Amino acid sequence: MLVYGTLSSPVFLTTGNFVNVFTSMAIVGIVVVGMTFVLVVGGLADLSVPATIACGAILSLALQPAIGPVPAFLVAVALAGGCGLISGLLVGYIGINPIIATLGVGTIVLGIVESLVGGVIVYGTDPATAELVKSRVFGIPVVVLIFAAIACVGHFILSHTYLGRWTFATGGNYSAAEASAVPVRAIKAGAFVMTGLCAGLSGGLLGLTLQSARPLIGTGYEFSAITAVVVGGVSIMGGAGSIPRAIAALIFVQFLTNIMVLQGVRTPVQGFVLGLLIAVAVALDVALRRRSVA
Amino acid sequence: MEFLIFLQKYRVGIVLGLTLAISAVWVPGFVSLTTFSLGFDRGSTVGLVAIGLTVLLIAGKIDLSVGSVFALSGIVAIMLQPALGLWPAAVVGVLAGAACGAFNGLLSVVFKVNSLVATLATMLIFRSIAHWLTDSQPMAGTDIMFSVRLAQIYFDLFTLRSALFLFSILLLHIWLSRTVSGRNLFAVGSNPVAAEASGISADRIAFLGFVFASAMAGVAGVLQSLAANTGSPVFGSEMTVAVIAAVVVGGTRIEGGRGSALGTLGGVLTIAALTTAMEFQSVPAYVQRVVAGLILILLVLFDRTVPTNRRTNSAVTAAE
Amino acid sequence: MAFKKTMFGAGTAALMLTAGWAQAQTVCYVTAADAHAYVTPANEAIDGRAAELGLEILSLSQNFDVQTGIEQMSTCIARGVDGIILWPLDPQAYIPGLARAQAADIPTILINSPMNEEADQFIVSFTGPDVYEEGEMAADSLNDAMGGAGSIVIIAGQAGNGTTIGRVGGFVDRLAEIGSGIEVLDTVNADFDQQKALVASRDLITRFGDEITGVYANDDTMARGFIDAWLEAKPDTPMPPIVGINGQKDAFESIRSGEMYSTIVQSPIEDGLLAINTMAEILAGNEVEARLPIPLTVVTSENVDMVEPAF
């Protein structure tokens, strides 16, 4: 695909374009890291992402005048993690279906955050923070570096620690994991906390970049994240997957969109191609897995 | 305990009753025939889609694409009006909805893609077809006066749409509780392997479930487009969540195997009554969302934590 | 069900008896959204002015969803309000609701966005900016800036939205009408959203690069998105002339700093005030014009210090 991109568009293979694609990707990429945990642990999907992103963005701007930019940012991310904790408790300990739990918690959280600020748009008061987020180190935008750091940490946890092994065990075979003394409930809840934190972080970054935040700021990110994770071969039934694969898929999807835009493909068609891509990728995955079992 | 089980069994009815009672006391002008008929009419759009989703959820599948199908069917029905005339175009619109369902069924049943992912994909696909067909512009129908007639209230109680909704709920109730195929649906939803073993084709039922869900979304979409005399690619973008909430508040389990027509009726009416009452009081939209979300979570929480003496098929689901 | 109907029936009878109460007149305001750079100040203007006039406002937010708005029209009618102010998000879809309101003798006016001609018979007045004219004014302004030739990109609002259709349509029609040599390279929808405009602009800049010699954004928020993308990609190349609409504060600053060429001031406060004042006239039994526009001003670096930003 990269070859096609290079051949078909002279600007495709330029540093500028690559930086472009990665910057656009960073915000959703951070969410993808968290979402991978949720899918691997067998938690289907976290639909509260738009709410937790909005929570991160709105609070990190709204609290700035009162407690300063850095504490505001930390409080916003922590509260987003708190939302994840509530979803996690409902799913892990009480056994409510994740779709319903995250949908409900998301609705409530977004409503509360909106009432806190009176249901209007929040503007930033400290332009220096925007400069910081938009600045570059060695020509690489800071958000991309943050994303890379989060991805590395996430990958390390999932692939090289007990926590990660337990996550796979819980998602792969819940009762077997429980029998071998894996704290399945806590692990399941933890995945949602992780997504909450990630989404809060990416919301905070988004808010600082734009210097304004509205309640609908996170709309659509949940589906973009799920798309990347699923196309990356992470089974929605849990127990399999890895963060590098999810991110590779995200990069693939981003470049695909990028090439379509460079080719002047209209927006509706892009949705069509993306939908088809998800369906085909997953159907292939299922077919291949069935064959290898047989 | 007895009391809790009673509460549990009739929780939808109780919540609906409470909502109506509280609204009647606190909200001036709430108790009137006009409020009732218009509230009912507003619920029926979501309600028609909810009927289809109830069936699909009982069969253990989910459909996120209903909002897109809603828009697409409406567009087809409006687009073909000049060529076919109003009624044939409407029929084709519903058929287009059913065809979307067949595509969902194909992905989910034949290619074994998880229904959540499959319909996430088709949600994007159908929505982009809707944008494609209309060039992203809302499209006007041929007969605005028909729309005005469709919005008329008969006998001070029903619009055409709310009557159709009520009638469909009744049919669904009879089907689910009195027929063999209805019982098979529950069997497939609670344990597809066991159902297959006892000679029920789980795949066929799931496939038909998808077709039915999308056809109902099509009916609702076509009616909406006729009522608004507009086919718009942005219609129904907020719908899927509202419908799932209504069905789940009505006691249908998203894991399959449990649910009822009257529950869905209760869920739809509860949400419609709640929204209308809060709008009467000019409660901000974000506070409305908090209330709706709390009711959803509390009802599901209650469902999980209070032990039931229901049919065994719910026990099977719980173990899953 | 049967029981419930009786209950409602009995309730109605009771209500009929109490309906004679003299109360403050209530106006139902079906607004586009709660939180939006333009809509929020308009909402506040209406609430504030209504309090002065002694009118009670029943404020309902559609959150940019037409379906929600259609249902909220029903609520207004059921509530039996004295007047309705509707912010339409679709040129057609509210017509049955408007017809119902008319049947219930509730006067309705439209605020901000127009609807199709078929709606005219059901409404008393339409107050607000002429979005088509805004498009035309933007075309003239950009044509001046570019000396009548060059190639541009259009960053449009939400697809299918009345404001988008008017602002793009007026612009394109006007270019053709004056025989301008300006060519439109591409039109993208960025939903009046800064982030979406930023992402779309990055791609446009990569794709067309220096071919872009002018930009038309359907509002200032999206113009900001393009400016950020340009500064990111080509910090050393001078910015092509950008024309926005709405007249936001930060657009004024961009015009002063030379990042933007012009914007068109359309004040949300004027927009809201005109609507509620018109409704008050109607409720007082006075005749009003069927079309009441709010003033529009093109702002460039020449008059930027003489005009007040809209919000």
Side-chain angles (χ1 to χ4, degrees):
Chain A
M1 187 182 68
L2 290 179
V3 174
Y4 172 77
T6 317
L7 291 179
S8 61
S9 171
V11 284
F12 179 77
L13 209 62
T14 56
T15 348
N17 189 39
F18 274 62
V19 170
N20 240 348
V21 173
F22 281 102
T23 318
S24 307
M25 195 182 85
I27 299 283
V28 65
I30 297 173
V31 182
V32 165
V33 175
M35 197 67 94
T36 309
F37 277 88
V38 168
L39 267 87
V40 168
V41 85
L44 290 177
D46 185 343
L47 299 185
S48 68
V49 162
T52 36
I53 287 187
C55 174
I58 291 180
L59 292 183
S60 63
L61 290 182
L63 296 177
Q64 264 182 12
I67 57 175
V70 176
F73 189 77
L74 293 179
V75 169
V77 174
L79 281 178
C83 309
L85 182 63
I86 300 175
S87 306
L89 291 178
L90 289 175
V91 174
Y93 287 84
I94 301 179
I96 293 181
N97 184 290
I99 308 248
I100 296 301
T102 53
L103 211 58
V105 170
T107 320
I108 297 171
V109 166
L110 188 59
I112 293 177
V113 170
E114 268 188 82
S115 350
L116 286 181
V117 297
V120 295
I121 303 189
V122 181
Y123 293 98
T125 48
D126 189 354
T129 53
E131 291 311 313
L132 180 72
V133 177
K134 279 194 232 170
S135 63
R136 296 183 180 197
V137 179
F138 308 120
I140 307 170
V142 169
V143 277
V144 176
L145 291 177
I146 296 180
F147 163 52
I150 297 284
C152 290
V153 172
H155 176 57
F156 179 78
I157 295 180
L158 192 60
S159 309
H160 300 284
T161 63
Y162 271 105
L163 223 57
R165 229 164 299 151
W166 285 344
T167 305
F168 279 111
T170 308
N173 190 333
Y174 189 86
S175 20
E178 197 174 17
S180 47
V182 173
V184 281
R185 292 163 175 236
I187 290 292
K188 212 162 188 178
F192 286 90
V193 178
M194 199 87 87
T195 312
L197 288 173
C198 287
L201 179 66
S202 85
L205 292 174
L206 193 61
L208 290 180
T209 324
L210 298 175
Q211 286 295 303
S212 74
R214 39 188 199 101
L216 295 179
I217 194 168
T219 315
Y221 280 90
E222 79 278 37
F223 291 130
S224 310
I226 296 172
T227 304
V229 178
V230 168
V231 171
V234 180
S235 164
I236 195 145
M237 302 316 288
S242 82
I243 287 179
R245 277 175 69 186
I247 290 176
L250 177 65
I251 297 176
F252 173 77
V253 171
Q254 288 286 334
F255 273 117
L256 188 72
T257 321
N258 181 249
I259 290 178
M260 284 194 283
V261 174
L262 294 183
Q263 291 300 311
V265 176
R266 286 179 50 237
T267 325
V269 186
Q270 291 170 21
F272 188 85
V273 174
L274 216 56
L276 220 55
L277 182 72
I278 304 175
V280 170
V282 178
L284 262 180
D285 189 49
V286 174
L288 290 177
R289 209 171 304 161
R290 227 185 314 170
R291 190 157 305 163
S292 69
V293 168
Chain B
M1 214 56 237
E2 284 289 313
F3 178 64
L4 272 180
I5 289 170
F6 171 80
L7 275 184
Q8 149 88 7
K9 196 164 177 193
Y10 296 104
R11 62 187 188 282
V12 191
I14 293 167
V15 171
L16 177 59
L18 277 177
T19 312
L20 290 176
I22 294 173
S23 313
V25 174
W26 291 101
V27 183
F30 185 77
V31 188
S32 82
L33 223 50
T34 334
T35 310
F36 177 71
S37 55
L38 289 177
F40 204 22
D41 184 46
R42 107 179 275 168
S44 53
T45 309
V46 166
L48 284 169
V49 185
I51 288 176
L53 210 60
T54 305
V55 170
L56 194 58
L57 285 184
I58 292 175
K61 305 282 180 189
I62 194 169
D63 188 348
L64 298 180
S65 72
V66 283
S68 303
V69 174
F70 180 85
L72 190 57
S73 318
I75 288 168
V76 170
I78 291 287
M79 225 166 124
L80 296 177
Q81 270 184 8
L84 300 179
L86 199 139
W87 288 111
V91 172
V92 177
V94 176
L95 288 179
C100 291
F103 187 67
N104 283 336
L106 188 76
L107 278 178
S108 169
V109 174
V110 180
F111 291 103
K112 303 282 174 214
V113 178
N114 178 290
S115 62
L116 187 70
V117 181
T119 55
L120 170 69
T122 55
M123 173 182 86
L124 295 172
I125 295 178
F126 298 151
R127 179 70 66 188
S128 47
I129 295 178
H131 275 279
W132 214 340
L133 286 177
T134 54
D135 204 14
S136 295
Q137 311 277 330
M139 187 175 273
T142 48
D143 185 4
I144 181 71
M145 289 331 286
F146 179 79
S147 312
V148 176
R149 272 206 301 285
L150 204 61
Q152 221 161 39
I153 301 167
Y154 296 96
F155 313 114
D156 288 336
L157 263 182
F158 295 108
T159 58
L160 206 62
R161 193 161 24 171
S162 55
L164 181 67
F165 167 53
L166 207 60
F167 182 65
S168 312
I169 280 281
L170 206 67
L171 284 185
L172 181 69
H173 178 66
I174 295 170
W175 180 50
L176 288 181
S177 57
R178 301 260 186 278
T179 66
V180 178
S181 61
R183 243 166 291 151
N184 288 349
L185 183 72
F186 283 99
V188 168
S190 46
N191 193 337
V193 181
E196 199 83 53
S198 54
I200 305 167
S201 169
D203 280 354
R204 207 177 67 114
I205 287 185
F207 183 84
L208 290 176
F210 276 108
V211 175
F212 182 67
S214 290
M216 288 311 288
V219 170
V222 168
L223 278 176
Q224 176 62 35
S225 282
L226 288 179
N229 197 37
T230 305
S232 167
V234 295
F235 275 2
S237 50
E238 309 282 318
M239 172 162 270
T240 308
V241 170
V243 173
I244 293 179
V247 174
V248 173
V249 164
T252 298
R253 275 214 181 155
I254 207 162
E255 295 90 345
R258 227 175 73 193
S260 72
L262 295 182
T264 296
L265 176 67
V268 169
L269 291 183
T270 303
I271 289 184
L274 205 63
T275 323
T276 309
M278 287 194 287
E279 284 183 351
F280 262 44
Q281 290 300 75
S282 203
V283 175
Y286 43 86
V287 180
Q288 293 183 24
R289 279 204 285 281
V290 177
V291 176
L294 276 176
I295 288 190
L296 175 67
I297 291 286
L298 286 180
L299 279 177
V300 177
L301 209 59
F302 197 55
D303 183 34
R304 276 294 145 143
T305 43
V306 177
T308 49
N309 57 351
R310 288 227 176 165
R311 278 172 305 210
T312 42
N313 55 20
S314 63
V316 179
T317 341
E320 181 51 359
Chain C
M1 276 320 290
F3 162 71
K4 226 174 291 155
K5 269 177 231 157
T6 5
M7 190 179 83
F8 271 98
T12 324
L15 189 86
M16 298 281 186
L17 294 173
T18 54
W21 288 353
Q23 275 184 334
Q25 283 183 308
T26 308
V27 174
C28 191
Y29 173 40
V30 181
T31 180
D34 293 317
H36 182 266
Y38 184 88
V39 184
T40 306
N43 293 350
E44 284 165 359
I46 288 195
D47 286 340
R49 180 71 185 140
E52 287 170 26
L53 291 166
L55 292 172
E56 200 174 305
I57 292 283
L58 182 71
S59 180
L60 303 173
S61 163
Q62 308 178 57
N63 248 319
F64 292 117
D65 183 46
V66 180
Q67 176 78 27
T68 309
I70 293 173
E71 287 165 359
Q72 285 167 340
M73 285 290 288
S74 293
T75 301
C76 296
I77 296 160
R79 176 77 195 275
V81 293
D82 300 291
I84 298 176
I85 301 174
L86 169 69
W87 191 308
L89 301 170
D90 182 287
Q92 272 266 342
Y94 303 92
I95 290 180
L98 294 174
R100 251 187 210 163
Q102 197 183 47
D105 281 329
I106 303 173
T108 306
I109 63 172
L110 304 182
I111 174 174
N112 184 270
S113 309
M115 285 181 64
N116 288 353
E117 283 165 15
E118 288 98 327
D120 288 347
Q121 53 176 312
F122 301 112
I123 58 168
V124 184
S125 179
F126 161 42
T127 68
D130 186 333
V131 288
Y132 186 84
E133 193 190 331
E134 285 175 338
E136 291 184 321
M137 290 164 89
D140 283 335
S141 181
L142 192 59
N143 192 55
D144 289 346
M146 297 172 60
S151 42
I152 61 159
V153 289
I154 300 179
I155 303 173
Q158 223 154 20
N161 169 293
T163 304
T164 307
I165 297 170
R167 285 181 180 175
V168 174
F171 183 86
V172 175
D173 292 353
R174 181 70 182 165
L175 283 186
E177 192 185 319
I178 57 176
S180 168
I182 294 176
E183 176 209 356
V184 178
L185 292 169
D186 201 4
T187 304
V188 293
N189 292 100
D191 303 0
F192 300 113
D193 180 290
Q194 192 180 335
Q195 173 71 11
K196 284 190 184 157
L198 177 67
V199 173
S201 305
R202 278 178 187 142
D203 290 328
L204 287 172
I205 292 170
T206 312
R207 182 164 147 218
F208 296 113
D210 296 332
E211 272 183 75
I212 303 176
T213 55
V215 179
Y216 168 43
N218 273 181
D219 80 352
D220 292 336
T221 322
M222 297 190 293
R224 182 76 241 168
F226 184 90
I227 294 171
D228 285 343
W230 187 274
L231 291 176
E232 206 176 83
K234 298 169 175 284
D236 309 318
T237 321
M239 189 90 56
I242 302 173
V243 173
I245 296 182
N246 278 2
Q248 280 167 234
K249 265 193 215 91
D250 71 318
F252 273 52
E253 269 150 42
S254 305
I255 291 174
R256 281 195 192 100
S257 68
E259 284 170 342
M260 253 175 99
Y261 177 73
S262 69
T263 182
I264 296 167
V265 175
Q266 169 199 324
S267 159
I269 297 166
E270 296 275 340
D271 206 353
L273 287 181
L274 183 61
I276 187 72
N277 286 335
T278 308
M279 183 47 80
E281 290 288 317
I282 295 170
L283 293 181
N286 300 330
E287 286 283 315
V288 296
E289 295 279 327
R291 177 73 183 93
L292 290 163
I294 61 170
L296 301 171
T297 321
V298 180
V299 176
T300 61
S301 58
E302 283 167 23
N303 60 349
V304 68
D305 293 318
M306 289 175 277
V307 184
E308 275 292 301
F311 54 99

